[in-house]
Amino acid sequence: MKMLVTPILCACLAAFAPAGTAVAQPDRHQDAPRPKSPPLSVREIERRVVPRVPGAQYLGFDYDPATEVYTLKFLRNGSVIWVDVDGRTGNIVRKTGN
C-alpha cells in the first residue's frame, strides 16, 4: 500500500501546482541603454552641408553638445544664413535666413 500512496500523492501535488512556476529573468542586455555613437565630425558635416548652400560664403560653425546640433553660418548678399544640422545623422534640421 505504501508503494501506491507515494505516486498518487505526487500526481495530486503536480496537478495542483501552478503552471509555469519558473520565474523569467529580465534580459539585462535588452534593457540596458545602448552606448551612443559619437557625433559626426565637423569636417563630415561641412562636406555634406556646404555644397547645399550654393553662392554663400561659409563662415564657420558652433556645436551644442547638449543637443548634438551643429550650427553652420553662411553669408550671401549681406544676409546671414544659419543651418542647424543633426550631429548624428548629418541631416539639416532647420535653415534660417536667405
Side-chain angles (χ1 to χ4, degrees):
M1 178 79 176
K2 206 177 216 185
M3 293 175 79
L4 187 60
V5 171
T6 303
I8 292 174
L9 181 60
C10 288
C12 289
L13 288 175
F16 290 107
T21 56
V23 176
Q25 295 294 322
D27 185 2
R28 291 185 187 131
H29 298 292
Q30 183 180 6
D31 295 337
R34 293 182 182 184
K36 287 184 170 181
S37 61
L40 297 171
S41 72
V42 68
R43 300 298 166 234
E44 179 63 20
I45 296 292
E46 291 170 339
R47 185 186 70 74
R48 294 179 185 196
V49 177
V50 171
R52 297 181 66 184
V53 189
Q57 177 187 359
Y58 176 58
L59 300 176
F61 74 95
D62 286 328
Y63 177 69
D64 182 2
T67 60
E68 297 179 337
V69 171
Y70 287 93
T71 301
L72 280 65
K73 294 174 255 184
F74 296 87
L75 182 63
R76 182 185 322 150
N77 300 328
S79 296
V80 177
I81 302 167
W82 305 85
V83 180
D84 293 337
V85 181
D86 184 318
R88 298 230 173 260
T89 64
N91 294 331
I92 293 176
V93 177
R94 178 182 13 207
K95 183 177 175 184
T96 57
N98 292 325

